[in-house]
Amino acid sequence: MKKYSVVIANRHQTSISLEPEFYAELVNIAKSKNITINQLITQIDATRQISNLSSALRVYVLEHLKSQL
């Protein structure tokens, strides 16, 4: 588990704790959408149903990968 610093909505700096594999996949998803990792996390944060942001990011990665199958 590693901590990463991110900025949500260009104004709120926070840190997330994720396994490097999940963070790397978030970076790949952001690149495929032509957006920054901070923009992707902002989008996920705005629509999440899970109170913990790190958990919401993991679920997002899982759902994204499942949709690719």
Side-chain angles (χ1 to χ4, degrees), residues 12-14 28 30 40-41 49 53 55-56 59 61 69:
H12 177 73
Q13 187 168 5
T14 190
N28 289 336
L40 177 61
I41 292 172
Q49 302 293 318
L53 179 57
S55 294
V59 170
V61 168
L69 296 177

Side-chain angles (χ1 to χ4, degrees), residues 3-20:
K3 284 198 180 252
Y4 300 90
S5 293
V6 297
V7 178
I8 298 172
N10 290 323
R11 65 181 190 283
H12 177 73
Q13 187 168 5
T14 190
S15 64
I16 54 173
S17 296
L18 288 174
E19 294 78 4

Side-chain angles (χ1 to χ4, degrees), residues 33-49:
K33 294 178 177 245
N34 273 342
I35 59 175
T36 67
I37 185 73
N38 289 332
Q39 290 170 320
L40 177 61
I41 292 172
T42 296
Q43 290 175 4
I44 297 167
D45 182 56
T47 60
R48 67 182 160 123
Q49 302 293 318

